[in-house]
Amino acid sequence: MINTVTIIGSINVDNILHIQQLPQPGETIAMSGFSTAGGGKGANQAIAAARSGAKTAFIGAVGNDTNGEFMKTQLVENGINIQAVKTTDEAATGQAYILLQASGQNSIIIDHGANAKVTIEDVDQARAAIAAADFLVTEFETPLPADEEAFKLARAAGVKTILNPAPAITQIPESLLRLTDIIVPNETESMAITGIPVDDEVSLQSSANYYHRLGVETVIITLGERGAYVANGDISELVPAYKVQAVDTTAAGDTFIGALAAELRSDYSNLLDAVRYASRASSLTVQKLGAFPSIPLRKSVLAAQANA
Ligand code: RIB
């Protein structure tokens, strides 16, 4: 079975500054290297879904510039349908400035650029791509009204919605959560939404209950090295992470989401297996540098699972 996945989200060129550790306020440091890669939470999720074998379509925007052409080419080369990616003269292609520490941890500064120009009308024009999907995925690097319009169209068409509430914001409209079938926050994002610090299984389940009360059926809270907590009416389970040496954690969460959307059956009958698959995909991403270059193909994920 091959899933069809449609993603509305951001497209960024990532500028990666390699540093030993973050500078203190007032401190000047030298970088040890510089590199660029395709990125953006939405685009990373689309690449992950496509490399995991999903038929993938993207709704978003780039500027009318070299970076925009570069990013569109990368998406097409990965088999992603970019009919609903608009090229705008109103802003430059989005860029991210990533401070990558020797530990593999990163800090990211975003210039949203064209990503901020995605409109409700753009989404309406892509209604066929939304209705054709098994899963519609979004995050918060495109404007909320456009994201919510996409979720409305998905709900009306019986398409399951996956919300990755990243980067963290505190004021998520309840109307958006009510249109969400699966929410996948990390621990920081979850605390920003629920106000509940996530430190043990009791607080994880309390967080899950918060989303359930708003009608979100399935909750997956990603916990980095600790794994992912999965909760729906029948399951409350912590799926452990795979222990690996991280080189660069950029796009780890995005890989998890895209791989999950590609692997999960629409009746959720393989939920825990799909979470294990997504977690394994993510563990491969962190072992390489950059977002697009590090996101694994399905065959690499299956090989890593077989060799475990
Ligand atoms: O999640 C990682 C991504 O966040 C990076 O690729 C960067 O572009 C930002 O959107």
Side-chain angles (χ1 to χ4, degrees), residues 198-220:
V198 164
D199 36 35
D200 56 15
E201 291 218 12
V202 174
S203 55
L204 282 163
Q205 190 54 48
S206 305
S207 305
N209 291 342
Y210 174 96
Y211 302 112
H212 291 329
R213 278 196 294 277
L214 289 168
V216 184
E217 186 186 351
T218 302
V219 179
I220 304 171

Side-chain angles (χ1 to χ4, degrees), residues 12 14 39-41 44 96 98 108 110 141 250-251 254 291:
N12 294 328
D14 288 351
K41 289 190 191 309
N44 295 339
I98 301 183
I108 304 182
I110 304 258
E141 285 183 348
T250 308
D254 304 331

